[in-house]
Amino acid sequence: MSTPPVSSPVFLLAPRYVLGETEEPYTAVPDLAGRVAGYGIPMAPDIWGWGSFFRTSRDTAELAVASGTATLAAAGADPEAVDGLVVCSSSFPEGVDDHAGLVGSVLRGLGLVRAGFTCGVTLNRCNNLLAGLRVAEALVRSGSHRLVLVVTTDRVLDESLRLEKFALFSDGAASCLVGAAEQGPERERLRVLATASAQDPEVLGRLDRIDARLSVAVNERLERAAGVPPEKVTALLPANLVRPLITMKERQAGFGPDRMRTGNIERLGHCFAADPLINLADLLAAGEAADDGLYLLASSVPGARHGVLLRKCP
């Protein structure tokens, strides 16, 4: 195998998240029995991993500001040092004029007076955050930016869709900094070794077609870029989809249950694109990330897979 090319280091710093302020049990889902019957599945919460979900009265800009503020504080980062912002969401405002209002609310709320670049990432559905991290990594690795704040923010807009066949949804936001230098708490510093994605336009949008072949393709691309085969990954931090689905698909991708961090499925539900970063934040907060450990943030939707490979800085 050829030696991976030498490049400038990129770090992921201070992952943080916020959830909806109201916690509810899965039994509070509107018309739960009707939804379950419509999907043709048994009422089996222990099997699916239905537990709690979190509902918010805040809008997505407020959620983004709350999470981003927590990240900046944890990293000890001056907002004036942030020179880029990547906002990820599955539901940006419909009107172009309203986009400026959303961006302005986030920039003002976070005090990002010098952020010279703002990018919105939305077409990747629940892979939006990892796609946004790829954008931030490229900006920092190229040398055009030194410190980029990445935030994903979403909420359920129609309560009748709180439960889908593949997940129980929570409202929330998650964020981190992607930078050219280490900063913040030592136990929360990770080096970005590589990012990768794979798509199949033939199955994009088919709700029952998460394809493990795309996960294998991403594994191969990460290995070519970083020299790390999937069997060397210390832990996989996936999306919090229903337990049978995520366990089966990630096993097909080469990750056994012993390497999957899935405890948040019942605890939090599926927070749109935020899940992998939430799972990382909890891993770090619990002190369970090993020095030099290799951690893969990964998420799949029908027709697409994204992965971000990290090494915990010793």
Side-chain angles (χ1 to χ4, degrees):
M1 181 182 297
S2 60
T3 302
V6 177
S7 59
S8 301
V10 177
F11 299 94
L12 188 151
L13 309 163
R16 290 292 186 275
Y17 65 92
V18 298
L19 301 170
E21 56 274 16
T22 302
E23 182 178 1
E24 302 264 24
Y26 76 92
T27 51
V29 169
D31 189 25
L32 175 64
R35 297 288 288 176
V36 171
Y39 294 139
I41 59 176
M43 183 72 77
D46 291 342
I47 292 175
W48 308 125
W50 299 336
S52 294
F53 68 89
F54 291 78
R55 181 188 289 118
T56 189
S57 60
R58 293 178 285 182
D59 61 28
T60 53
E62 292 172 310
L63 291 170
V65 169
S67 184
T69 298
T71 284
L72 293 171
D78 185 341
E80 292 193 8
V82 176
D83 54 5
L85 172 67
V86 178
V87 180
C88 310
S89 183
S90 61
S91 55
F92 283 114
E94 182 177 355
V96 173
D97 292 341
D98 294 327
H99 293 176
L102 171 66
V103 172
S105 294
V106 175
L107 289 170
R108 289 191 301 273
L110 293 171
L112 302 184
V113 296
R114 293 188 61 251
F117 175 83
T118 300
C119 172
V121 176
T122 192
L123 296 179
N124 295 274
R125 295 162 288 168
C126 291
N127 289 358
N128 282 329
L129 170 66
L130 300 189
L133 288 175
R134 293 201 75 196
V135 172
E137 181 216 16
L139 291 171
V140 174
R141 207 175 290 282
S142 71
S144 67
H145 289 69
R146 292 283 299 173
L147 192 62
V148 178
L149 178 66
V150 182
V151 59
T152 185
T153 179
D154 273 295
R155 55 169 296 177
V156 171
L157 302 178
D158 181 349
E159 284 296 328
S160 69
L161 303 178
R162 176 71 66 179
L163 177 68
E164 295 284 3
K165 188 175 183 180
F166 59 89
L168 174 62
F169 280 82
S170 278
D171 306 333
S175 54
C176 65
L177 288 164
V178 177
E182 298 179 64
Q183 65 183 86
E186 290 185 6
R187 72 177 185 178
E188 297 183 3
R189 300 173 185 172
L190 301 110
R191 183 165 176 173
V192 181
L193 299 184
T195 65
S197 64
Q199 291 182 325
D200 181 353
E202 296 302 318
V203 295
L204 282 170
R206 297 187 185 180
L207 297 181
D208 59 345
R209 290 290 302 274
I210 291 181
D211 192 341
R213 291 177 299 174
L214 297 177
S215 302
V216 172
V218 167
N219 290 346
E220 292 172 348
R221 292 170 187 178
L222 291 172
E223 183 174 359
R224 285 197 297 271
V228 177
E231 59 268 20
K232 295 295 185 182
V233 171
T234 307
L236 173 74
L237 306 171
N240 298 331
L241 307 181
V242 292
R243 188 173 296 281
L245 175 63
I246 200 68
T247 300
M248 177 180 67
K249 291 302 179 181
E250 296 301 349
R251 275 188 131 171
Q252 291 172 344
F255 302 101
D258 60 316
R259 289 195 292 156
M260 298 182 203
R261 297 283 297 195
T262 59
N264 278 339
I265 294 175
E266 288 88 354
R267 191 175 77 88
L268 306 179
H270 178 44
C271 301
F272 295 82
D275 292 348
L277 197 62
I278 289 174
N279 295 335
L280 175 65
D282 285 350
L283 178 80
L284 294 170
E288 296 174 359
D291 285 349
D292 284 323
L294 298 163
Y295 298 94
L296 178 59
L297 310 184
S299 179
S300 293
V301 297
R305 169 79 163 191
H306 282 71
V308 176
L309 182 62
L310 308 168
R311 184 188 297 277
K312 171 71 167 56
C313 298

